[in-house]
Amino acid sequence: GQTRRGGIGRVLGSSAVVAGAALLAGALLGGAGAARAADEVVIGESTTLSGSISELGETGRRGIQMLAERINAEGGLLGKKVRVVSADDGASPANGVTNMRHMILADKAVAIFGPVSSAVATAEESVAAQYHELFFTHTSNDIKMTTSNFTKYYFQLVPNTVMEPRAPALFLAQRVGKGPITLGTITPDYSYGRDTVDAFIEALRRDGVEVKVVVQQYPKLGATDFTSYISALLAARPQYVFMGIYGGDLITFTKQALNFDFFKKTKAITGYTRSPLKALDGQAPGGSYALGRAPFWAVKGPGMEAFNRAYYAKYKDWPSAWAIMAYTAGQAWAYGVRKAASFDSDKVAAALGGATVPTIRGPLTLRACDHQANVPEYVGVVADAPDPRYGYPIWSQTEEIAASKLMLTCEEVEKLRRR
């Protein structure tokens, strides 16, 4: 695939608006950017390929690329080869919007995948609706995207910000009963972070736990110094700390928190999955409660073992959840195209709404009322020692929480839309 680093706006610098408009105008007039081989179809991956959360975007891009390569090796899709174009949004909504417009107008992409940040995805969702473009997210997961902002062109292949925190809440409730417990939280200061922490607290109380929230912290995404937040958390003496930080931010936080004996003074609940566990190189706090969307060692769907082997052979690493979910999102799009016998967005959207799609994770239903996939969430306990198969710790306990225990009902979704 082709990759544009930095997004159009980042590449063009201060003249981005003028030059970007000229580029898009040229595409509309059928300039060179509009050219596409007759025997190929283009899909786009607009995601974060730089900064502290770039690992999520890069491995997601790998998943989409591997799906395209698999389709092409099997003869293509409706007689056409699939080509992936990708671009870095830098976790900026403005860059994401520019990337998406370029992919639609210049690259003639028939579907867009990504991004990492829900703030970027929310901005892109409106652009997709404007151009009647299919849009699949496999990392960003704000509940607003399937409720108040929902359009028929949008599909979510990841547990949303209600589903995801409900899983560790249930896991914790099973261990503490009715409590009472004291809780601290730290999540990035944007819609994902605030929605996730609110949903976690609400889920605990729904599960019958008496919880007192003693401290809440909201650092910016990409923060490099968490010491003041760590001190504030520990000063409040919470028994548990729900940490909605992720990617490089989680790694940075963990390394700094170790200097405060943070994990000896409270029980962390956070996304210690493949990437941070590997990057922490033995420093991962064993015994912490972990959550993950698709840990490679736990997903048992048809084709997962083969996918894991193929990914390792190609990248000399095991796949992240982001790669697995991206591949799944690509499978959903390809299924819709085959079912509709067309690349037309309206026809594919109609074919996918309510459909059950065969994927490497097993059959996934894209619910008709909100196009949310019935994907599970995984929870567990971080192991104290490295796993000899992988060279770093995974989880000593792993539980799959079914989507049926996590999803809003369609009636609840409709109420959120009417707010």
Side-chain angles (χ1 to χ4, degrees):
Q2 298 177 348
T3 305
R4 297 190 303 277
R5 294 281 178 179
I8 298 172
R10 292 162 66 90
V11 171
L12 297 179
S14 62
S15 59
V17 175
V18 174
L23 175 61
L24 297 182
L28 285 169
L29 293 172
R36 184 177 69 193
D39 62 346
E40 73 174 17
V41 64
V42 175
I43 58 176
E45 172 80 1
S46 175
T47 192
T48 303
L49 300 172
S50 59
S52 65
I53 58 174
S54 61
E55 195 270 346
L56 285 73
E58 176 56 32
T59 56
R61 189 192 66 81
R62 290 176 179 180
I64 289 292
Q65 185 62 45
M66 285 185 66
L67 187 278
E69 291 169 0
R70 175 70 180 270
I71 290 173
N72 293 340
E74 294 176 347
L77 190 60
L78 301 188
K80 294 182 181 291
K81 297 291 185 181
V82 178
R83 178 164 63 90
V84 180
V85 295
S86 59
D88 181 15
D89 60 36
S92 160
N95 284 344
V97 165
T98 302
N99 288 345
M100 178 169 272
R101 285 185 174 144
H102 185 279
M103 289 173 178
I104 296 169
L105 298 174
D107 297 318
K108 303 299 182 183
V110 298
I112 309 293
F113 298 82
V116 174
S117 163
S118 289
V120 176
T122 301
E124 291 182 341
E125 186 176 15
S126 62
V127 177
Q130 177 187 355
Y131 290 102
H132 296 189
E133 180 82 353
L134 292 167
F135 182 38
F136 298 79
T137 61
H138 48 76
T139 306
S140 50
N141 66 336
D142 197 313
I143 187 64
K144 294 182 180 70
M145 299 180 69
T146 55
T147 55
S148 57
N149 295 352
F150 178 69
T151 81
K152 70 176 184 179
Y153 301 103
Y154 175 66
F155 294 86
Q156 189 157 276
L157 277 294
V158 57
N160 61 44
T161 50
V162 169
M163 296 169 65
E164 185 163 54
R166 281 183 173 182
L170 180 60
F171 185 78
L172 182 58
Q174 291 169 345
R175 282 152 181 77
V176 302
K178 293 184 178 181
I181 64 168
T182 55
L183 178 71
T185 70
I186 179 167
T187 57
D189 191 13
Y190 71 107
S191 56
Y192 157 80
R194 291 185 176 270
D195 289 351
T196 295
V197 74
D198 289 348
F200 178 73
I201 296 167
E202 180 183 344
L204 277 177
R205 290 172 175 157
R206 187 189 68 162
D207 292 334
V209 180
E210 182 184 343
V211 54
K212 180 181 180 181
V213 180
V214 294
V215 60
Q216 293 189 278
Q217 298 292 305
Y218 295 98
K220 69 177 183 178
L221 186 65
T224 57
D225 186 355
F226 289 98
T227 55
S228 63
Y229 303 104
I230 295 166
S231 296
L233 288 168
L234 291 178
R237 299 175 181 264
Q239 293 168 281
Y240 299 90
V241 176
F242 178 75
M243 296 161 40
I245 49 181
Y246 57 93
D249 291 5
L250 177 56
I251 296 165
T252 300
F253 178 93
T254 302
K255 290 181 176 180
Q256 292 175 9
L258 287 168
N259 295 324
F260 291 77
D261 287 334
F262 182 88
F263 302 101
K264 296 179 181 178
K265 298 174 181 178
T266 188
K267 176 78 75 173
I269 308 164
T270 192
Y272 284 127
T273 52
R274 181 204 68 92
S275 302
L277 290 174
K278 179 183 177 183
L280 286 167
D281 192 24
Q283 292 182 298
S288 295
Y289 294 162
L291 63 150
R293 300 175 186 178
F296 72 88
W297 63 84
V299 183
K300 303 301 182 184
M304 266 306 303
E305 186 176 344
F307 176 80
N308 287 343
R309 289 198 305 268
Y311 190 97
Y312 190 88
K314 187 175 181 67
Y315 296 109
K316 301 299 181 287
D317 199 357
W318 298 103
S320 68
W322 326 113
I324 294 166
M325 292 185 296
Y327 192 93
T328 301
Q331 286 185 300
W333 165 74
Y335 176 87
V337 168
R338 293 188 181 103
K339 185 178 178 183
S342 172
F343 293 107
D344 179 80
S345 292
D346 289 285
K347 293 179 181 179
V348 175
L352 281 178
T356 298
V357 180
T359 77
I360 57 171
R361 302 182 66 187
L364 297 177
T365 299
L366 295 162
R367 200 164 56 171
C369 70
D370 58 359
H371 294 177
Q372 170 66 54
N374 64 333
V375 286
E377 180 79 15
Y378 297 82
V379 290
V381 180
V382 177
D384 291 316
D387 188 298
R389 294 168 294 179
Y390 312 121
Y392 49 87
I394 54 171
W395 300 350
S396 60
Q397 304 172 39
T398 302
E399 296 181 21
E400 178 182 309
I401 310 295
S404 60
K405 297 181 179 180
L406 307 175
M407 296 177 78
L408 293 172
T409 65
C410 285
E411 290 75 18
E412 289 172 321
V413 167
E414 187 57 35
K415 286 180 181 178
L416 289 174
R417 288 179 183 161
R418 291 199 299 262
R419 281 186 181 178

